Amino acid sequence: MEKIRISPRQLFCLIVLFELGSSLVIPLGADAGQDAWLAILAGLIAGLLIFQVYLYLYRQYPAIPLTGYIRKILGNVLGWPISLLYVAFFIYGSARITRDIGDLLFNSVYDETPLFLLHFLMLAAITYVLHKGFEVLARTGEVFFGIVMILVCVGILLVIFSGIVQFTLLQPVLENGWEPIFQAVVSQTYTFPFGQIICFAMILPYLAKPGRARRAGMTGLIVSGIILSLITALEISVLGADLVQRSTFPLLITLSKVDIANFLQRLDALVVFTLIIVNFFKISIFYYSAVIGAADLFKVDKLRSLILPIGVIILFSSMNIAGSHAEHSVEGDFYLKYTLELFVTVIPLFLLVGSFIRRLLGNRGESGFSTEQQR
Amino acid sequence: MKFIRKFTQKTRTSSNRNRDENHQGSAIDDGHRPLDTDLDINIKRFREETGNSPDLKVRQFELGSNPQIRVAAIYNEGLVDQPQLNEFVIQPLMLSKDRGRLSEASGEQVFHFLRNHALPVGEVDTVENWNEVMNTVMDGNTIIFIDHFPVAIGCNTSGGEWRGIEKPTTELSIRGPKDSFNESISTNISLIRRRIKSPNLWLEMYRIGEITHTDVAIMYMNGIVSDQIVEEVRQRLTGIKVDGILQAGNIEQLIEDQTMTPFPTVYNTERPDLVSRYLLDGRVAIIVDGTPFVLLVPALFTQFFVASDDYAQRYDISSFIRLLRYASFLISLLGPSIYIAAITFHQEMIPTPLLFSLAATREGVPFPALVEALLMELSFEILREAGIRMPRAVGQAVSIVGALVLGQAAVQAGIVSPAMVIVVSITGIASFSTPAYNLAVSARLIRFVLMILAATFGFYTLTLAMIVLVAHLSSLRSFGIPYLSPYAPFQMDDQKDALVRLPLWMLATRTKAINKKNIKKMEPSGHSMLKKQNNRPEGERHEE
């Protein structure tokens, strides 16, 4: 492992940017109708719970990433393939988000630009930054955390001041009881975006103060959850639940309705700007998780040498994962319901059980586990 | 250059050692060859080695009697302080009352007599080899050779003409002090010493440049500055092996952390007050003989937005002006590219009435927005460069041509649109409001890249470019200190003097990113004084 140290504050900023990535524009928790904002908060709670599992595993193995302790817990024979799956999962994740932003840009502005070029530019920028090192990404994250927060606040204020908000559209609250909310949580808001924090199981070993991981992670999740919930509530109260549900990018439509003094109009550019920033960080973190995982699995000493190859893989898979935006969306549903569920919940829970068993064995003092850990 | 010691209260052995090392490094063949005992041979050799240069004067005397001992004074006409030389070296040699003592004296006795009794100058030195002879003379000091003795005397007579202390020409201020550095290293050091009257202001001298032997001084506040930084500066300076250092810019480029960047990682200023301020903030000043700019390391990005006036005015005004500077830096960086992107790709972002009028003005323009912008920006850059280099007398002609031809006529001829002229001129003016010229220049350079990116992919690449730019900035380090601190890594305590400047009484600590020890710079009493002041109105009310 290279010597990288990020501060808890940087971790917090990265988590917020990561959680906002992609999820900021799409209709989140739309299955719950006008209660989508509640579904997000419920998803947040579920996400916080699963985050405890990752934190527990992190405390057991504070020096090694997820792919490392999978093999420690499950043994090399079972653990290695699963770790490899995680690397593939991270690569797919970053390719997916690259495609998200590519499709958005292609559909909104750059309809004559090849999609490949849009993806290439994004990944080229990310590769450059990652090549400078993860610390540079973390510091850049600190700067852009501030910028994104300002943009989000300005955006929310502008929507409110333009007088298009009807809070009555949020009523009735809990029209059909809690069930649709649970539906939405299970099918989406828990895994996406909150469950995706599994990426940080790869990043956490770099934290300078391991004791602060919990606080930084939890506040990061909560802050991003509240922002997402607020924005969704705002979207619904401007557009109505029905329109939010049916549109691809409801936030874009919401902000394009802003018109203040005939001068501040068409602020959807603000959204696209924010989205490029947050997606940049989300792709970077998935990307870097894949790099860490691959380096860990294939015993590569220099992480840097893997950045470019994995970047190329992401670039081409971002083109090949779907033939069209429609296909991409359909695959998205499957990804949310099954793929994410498997990698975010099922495997970590197995690991949790496995680590309990290991611990019990270790307490009897008959396994080489403790020495292995020291090594 | 020993006369410098006059200004130093601490003589550092390390600088002495360094001087010797430098001599060894530059030794040509037999530079360490000792002097000959015979005066004529010495003079002949000196003449030969300096190519009989007529500005190097050799003045011979005869001392004592029975037998007479010949001595010779050698000096450089232009570098010595002539009155001092005449009064304290030549005169005593010729007219010394104690000459009687020298009857039947040997060369060695003459040497000791001269060294200890005859020369009423501040500094006298023993010179034993040719290298030292040459250095002494080239520094503007006088060498005295003595017949029959292989050791010479060097006396400090250096002087000569320097530009006086004038007003700063590149960093103007309204309320701040109006003196600036000049080309003389001793003057520059004294300007700083005059502001910080502390024995803890330490100075180290180096000679850099195998041929030029340029004097380079580093100054720092002992007890405040971090030892690591000083050590790093020392190492980088002594690591320089080059034939000539002609100005501080050369040193800057040889010691900076990262060459492949458009951003300056070494700060320079011609204002002694700013140097003193940063010395107190734990930085190291590098003063180079012959340059009216002093280098300061480590340099942070925020530092380039600070002007001396910021601390002369009240905090609210300073903060506003500093925000304005950041904004204008962004404008000078992004102005034309945002316009190009909006016109080329994102017309929908422009409010409709404005779009109509823009479209109307662009109607007859035969170029795409990028070409138009490049044309205007390039001609503006040319104008600016011409403005710096041209003789003063033709200044008016150039500005008339610039304003009329490039502005009005180009618009009237339909080559560029008026909107573009506005954008370019705002950009140009904005780039002047960055206090540090070298940062403003890097914005100018990056602007062109951004313009091309904006014209090819619009706001998408512009946003990506901004992220990459910030990432690049945060990857930079200046002498080990992250360049973008206190923004990234975020440093709460340093925010008080970064984007805005809070009231002086709140600036109670030095920059934390740089200083590890001796953080506090203001006693609590300073704060309570302020409280007392705050309470005064109440007291006055009591009296009423």
Side-chain angles (χ1 to χ4, degrees), chain A residues 9 105 109-110 113 117-118 121-122 125 128-129 132 136 139-140 142-144 263 265-266 269 273 276 280, chain B residues 345-346 348-349 351-352 457-461 463-464 466-468 470-472 474-475 477 484 487-490:
Chain A
R9 189 196 299 271
L105 290 167
V109 189
Y110 302 94
T113 312
L117 208 51
L118 294 176
L121 287 168
M122 174 64 97
Y128 171 82
V129 175
K132 291 262 175 194
V136 169
R139 283 192 219 139
T140 315
E142 272 182 298
V143 175
F144 279 99
F263 178 72
Q265 319 166 310
R266 298 297 311 241
F273 182 64
I276 295 170
F280 180 94
Chain B
F345 286 95
H346 311 277
E348 79 279 356
M349 272 181 57
T352 322
F457 292 104
F459 275 129
Y460 176 49
T461 40
T463 313
L464 288 182
M466 287 316 289
I467 300 178
V468 167
V470 172
H472 175 74
S474 52
S475 76
R477 279 168 185 273
L484 218 50
Y487 305 125
F490 190 82

Side-chain angles (χ1 to χ4, degrees), chain A residues 252 255 266-274, chain B residues 346 348-349 459:
Chain A
L252 277 181
L255 270 160
R266 298 297 311 241
L267 289 166
D268 35 342
L270 211 66
V271 178
V272 178
F273 182 64
T274 316
Chain B
H346 311 277
E348 79 279 356
M349 272 181 57
F459 275 129

